[in-house]
Amino acid sequence: MGDPINGLRGFASLHVMLGHYSYSLADLVDFQPGMEMPVFFLLSGYCMTLGYGKGTLNTRSYLQNRMARILPLYYLINLLTAPIHRMISGIFALQFSLSLHLIATLFCTNSWFFIFDAFFPKPYNPNCWTINTLWFFYLVYPLILPRLQALSDAAISRLLVILYYVQLVPFLYYWHYQMKYKTGYETMTKSPFMRLPVFIMGVLGGLQTQRWMDRKDFQDPNEDRLIVHDILPWGLFGSNENKPIDREKSRFTWGARADLSALVIITVCSLKLMPYYILNKDSLLRTLVQGYGQLILVHVMLNLIIGLSRGKNESRIANIFSHWIFQKLGAISFALYIIHEPVRKFYLANISRRKKWLNRYELMAVYVVAIFLAYLVHKLIENPLANLLRYKKKKSAPISQV
């Protein structure tokens, strides 16, 4: 049976690509690609903590492994994307913007300046903002991990609730800023300073699971302790970390929790389609509704990740994500995420004569080409470079994928 967490990562990358490519259809269907962004941040914090969160972190090996994992492909794709970006936007004509652009791209910090998104240039590859944001998280991770490790189980539960509401604050800022300056979406959804609470929630979830694994007798069903008490964030206030759960009396296992979380996410995504068709395309209210959805579901997404990790043998959604198709997609998820948008833009700029819209057959063809190229990049570039550059002096923790 495959790893459902890896399958979730593959599904998220596929969903983002489907959503981005649907924007090139004349009869646009909004597949909500932005809904997956908290999943990537939560997964990154969760998986890294399962690998590095037990004991003292070796900062040198950790940073070297992180750089080996993301930076070679990041620089390569940006180098290849720059000419396409020039053909589409003509940004090379703006010398001042070019200087800022090159410096920010070189240091992987474009999204760090999205708080000034009214004038700061975006990355050559639009999807690289995610790498910029994750790179910020990776740099602060060695600073926050020891402090989080020192927290008790009850303190971690309380902090999860606090962070859930803290990450809602950007929406209030966005509402004011958008109404006044007609901008601010980049700040709310992409700035690492605004998204840091989501990443820390993933780290806390990883610490909870690590402790659960350390003290759990896998042969005794009564030893399954309830860490995340409820599917709703305020339920954490009532959690009892040390109270064992008798599975004979309670059917709401971690597998059932994962299935319910997936159902909630699917339902909300379906409801979020309604403002798109009811309201005008460019409606400010529609934009706010669409952007706010990914914020309110963060806790449900964390429940899904923890449920898949702990209850993978008793979850229907875990069985789906364990399928070999999602496992293969999970393996190439980083390459797929980072190259699918350049592939689409290259087709629009050089092959398609319409320059804007794709028909369904073209969309399917570009879709297949992007997956095939991602597979080749993963096998021929990403994996070899990561294995070559990663820390080798000691057996290090597995490198979690973005």
Side-chain angles (χ1 to χ4, degrees):
M1 184 176 182
D3 180 9
I5 295 294
N6 184 53
L8 173 62
R9 184 182 291 112
F11 172 80
S13 296
L14 195 68
H15 183 198
V16 170
M17 182 172 70
L18 177 63
H20 286 168
Y21 280 18
S22 67
Y23 294 153
S24 295
L25 288 172
D27 49 342
L28 172 62
V29 176
D30 193 345
F31 286 101
Q32 309 292 319
M35 290 293 295
E36 301 295 349
M37 299 324 302
V39 173
F40 290 118
F41 301 145
L42 291 168
L43 276 176
S44 188
Y46 185 83
C47 294
M48 284 200 309
T49 303
L50 289 184
Y52 295 106
K54 190 174 182 179
T56 304
L57 178 67
N58 184 333
T59 304
R60 177 185 174 186
S61 65
Y62 159 76
L63 288 176
Q64 184 171 336
N65 287 341
R66 291 291 90 201
M67 289 188 288
R69 178 71 182 87
I70 67 170
L71 291 187
L73 193 56
Y74 166 81
Y75 286 122
L76 175 62
I77 296 300
N78 269 287
L79 181 64
L80 297 177
T81 309
I84 303 174
H85 191 276
R86 179 182 180 181
M87 286 184 290
I88 295 174
S89 65
I91 197 169
F92 277 79
L94 303 175
Q95 296 301 321
F96 178 69
S97 296
L98 172 60
S99 301
L100 290 175
H101 196 114
L102 289 177
I103 293 173
T105 301
L106 180 63
F107 289 97
C108 197
T109 58
N110 289 84
S111 71
W112 299 19
F113 299 92
F114 277 178
I115 196 167
F116 311 113
D117 65 348
F119 64 87
F120 200 84
K122 309 304 184 290
Y124 293 126
N125 181 350
N127 294 340
C128 281
W129 74 262
T130 312
I131 313 303
N132 302 153
T133 300
L134 287 172
W135 181 238
F136 177 85
F137 297 159
Y138 296 161
L139 292 179
V140 302
Y141 183 74
L143 301 177
I144 64 175
L145 180 62
R147 292 165 175 80
L148 298 179
Q149 287 174 320
L151 298 177
S152 66
D153 290 342
I156 287 179
S157 290
R158 288 193 295 268
L159 184 56
L160 271 170
V161 179
I162 293 172
L163 289 174
Y164 172 81
Y165 291 107
V166 167
Q167 61 95 32
L168 293 178
V169 171
F171 172 72
L172 301 177
Y173 165 81
Y174 173 46
W175 180 273
H176 168 76
Y177 202 68
Q178 174 79 8
M179 294 293 288
K180 186 175 181 180
Y181 300 107
K182 305 300 181 183
T183 186
Y185 183 77
E186 309 285 354
T187 300
M188 184 187 77
T189 59
K190 301 180 180 180
S191 170
F193 306 102
M194 299 295 184
R195 300 304 252 172
L196 183 59
V198 178
F199 174 75
I200 296 178
M201 288 179 69
V203 175
L204 293 173
L207 285 174
Q208 288 183 329
T209 298
Q210 187 70 63
R211 296 177 184 183
W212 175 80
M213 294 170 63
D214 289 343
R215 67 191 177 201
K216 177 175 168 32
D217 181 2
F218 290 91
Q219 303 303 318
D220 185 356
N222 293 328
E223 287 296 317
D224 186 8
R225 292 172 172 81
L226 188 61
I227 304 296
V228 180
H229 177 69
D230 203 328
I231 205 71
L232 299 174
W234 48 83
L236 287 169
F237 284 117
S239 66
N240 186 339
E241 299 297 336
N242 297 314
K243 181 179 179 181
I245 301 300
D246 188 348
R247 291 192 183 186
E248 298 298 325
K249 299 179 181 179
S250 175
R251 296 183 179 180
F252 199 50
T253 61
W254 282 110
R257 192 177 299 273
D259 293 339
L260 179 58
S261 300
L263 180 61
V264 170
I265 294 172
I266 293 172
T267 302
V268 173
C269 286
S270 300
L271 293 175
K272 283 180 68 210
L273 287 173
M274 295 175 61
Y276 179 80
Y277 294 106
I278 296 175
L279 303 176
N280 182 274
K281 276 187 185 180
D282 302 320
S283 167
L284 173 61
L285 180 59
R286 172 197 165 273
T287 303
L288 290 170
V289 171
Q290 302 284 21
Y292 195 45
Q294 61 174 284
L295 300 178
I296 62 175
L297 287 178
V298 166
H299 187 270
V300 182
M301 294 173 182
L302 182 58
N303 269 274
L304 172 62
I305 292 170
I306 297 177
L308 290 175
S309 178
R310 300 188 193 182
K312 59 184 177 182
N313 295 324
E314 51 195 22
S315 167
R316 291 183 176 88
I317 193 68
N319 291 333
I320 295 175
F321 287 147
S322 297
H323 193 275
W324 68 269
I325 293 179
F326 289 110
Q327 293 300 304
K328 294 293 185 182
L329 288 172
I332 66 171
S333 59
F334 179 45
L336 181 62
Y337 179 82
I338 203 172
I339 74 169
H340 74 265
E341 191 67 1
V343 171
R344 181 182 71 90
K345 289 194 171 185
F346 180 80
Y347 179 84
L348 289 173
N350 296 278
I351 301 176
S352 174
R353 297 190 179 277
R354 286 179 296 279
K355 297 290 184 181
K356 187 175 181 180
W357 305 117
L358 299 174
N359 61 46
R360 286 183 172 81
Y361 300 106
E362 289 175 314
L363 183 68
M364 292 176 61
V366 177
Y367 213 73
V368 172
V369 169
I371 295 176
F372 178 70
L373 289 178
Y375 174 80
L376 293 181
V377 168
H378 172 73
K379 287 293 185 182
L380 302 179
I381 300 175
E382 180 187 356
N383 257 359
L385 287 178
N387 293 331
L388 177 66
L389 298 175
R390 67 179 296 178
Y391 189 79
K392 298 185 178 67
K393 286 189 177 180
K394 295 180 181 179
K395 186 177 180 181
S396 57
I399 303 177
S400 61
Q401 297 185 11
V402 176

